């Protein structure tokens, strides 16, 4: 059975990976307290102003962070030390999460979503 909540998703992984995901989740909640939380595309997903904000997922060797292409483009240089795909970045489990960088990405995406929302009014 597929997880229906973020907590259910996190609980399906080993303790060490759960700890990393809980750090990431706490960071999202801290910097985007108004974000709605759900499971989308089979992974934890957050929205602000009715638009996707950020997603994350866990794999055997890394956490994947999906901040849409704009979030990755804005922080291209800082993220260049990590393996990336279009709109995704991989944080290896054997390294500490770059919490300040992730917080900066979250704040950027919140602002971006807010700007888009305000321009529609």
């Amino acid at each position: 059975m597929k997880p229906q909540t973020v907590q259910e998703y996190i609980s399906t992984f080993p303790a060490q990976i759960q700890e990393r995901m809980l750090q990431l989740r706490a960071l999202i909640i801290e910097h985007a307290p108004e974000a709605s939380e759900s499971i989308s595309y089979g992974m934890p997903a957050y929205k602000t102003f009715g638009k996707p904000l950020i997603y994350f997922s866990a794999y055997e060797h890394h956490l994947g962070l999906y901040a849409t292409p704009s979030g990755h483009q804005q922080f291209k240089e800082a993220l260049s030390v990590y393996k990336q795909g279009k709109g995704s970045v991989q944080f290896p489990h054997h390294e500490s999460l770059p919490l300040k960088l992730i917080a900066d990405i979250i704040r950027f995406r919140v602002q971006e979503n807010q700007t888009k929302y305000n321009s529609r009014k």
Side-chain angles (χ1 to χ4, degrees):
M1 191 163 110
K2 293 182 179 182
Q4 299 299 306
T5 67
V6 172
Q7 189 56 49
E8 286 177 14
Y9 178 89
I10 291 171
S11 72
T12 65
F13 291 89
Q16 183 180 10
I17 296 173
Q18 286 185 36
E19 185 178 319
R20 292 170 61 78
M21 286 191 287
L22 289 171
Q23 279 185 299
L24 188 51
R25 182 184 193 197
L27 206 58
I28 295 166
I29 292 168
E30 177 184 350
H31 295 285
E34 70 287 348
S36 63
E37 180 180 78
S38 65
I39 296 292
S40 184
Y41 302 107
M43 68 182 94
Y46 297 82
K47 285 185 175 184
T48 54
F49 303 98
K51 297 285 185 188
L53 177 73
I54 200 164
Y55 301 79
F56 68 85
S57 59
Y59 301 92
E60 185 177 353
H61 300 289
H62 69 275
L63 285 184
L65 184 72
Y66 309 86
T68 75
S70 64
H72 296 281
Q73 182 63 33
Q74 180 69 24
F75 296 91
K76 180 172 52 175
E77 187 175 323
L79 292 170
S80 67
V81 298
Y82 300 100
K83 185 175 181 180
Q84 297 181 58
K86 184 177 180 182
S88 68
V89 62
Q90 296 179 10
F91 299 119
H93 291 315
H94 67 273
E95 296 178 14
S96 296
L97 289 172
L99 298 177
K100 182 187 177 320
L101 173 59
I102 296 169
D104 289 346
I105 293 169
I106 295 166
R107 286 191 297 270
F108 169 79
R109 291 287 300 125
V110 168
Q111 183 60 50
E112 185 176 47
N113 281 356
Q114 184 173 19
T115 299
K116 287 177 184 176
Y117 176 80
N118 289 339
S119 71
R120 292 189 315 228
K121 287 183 174 181

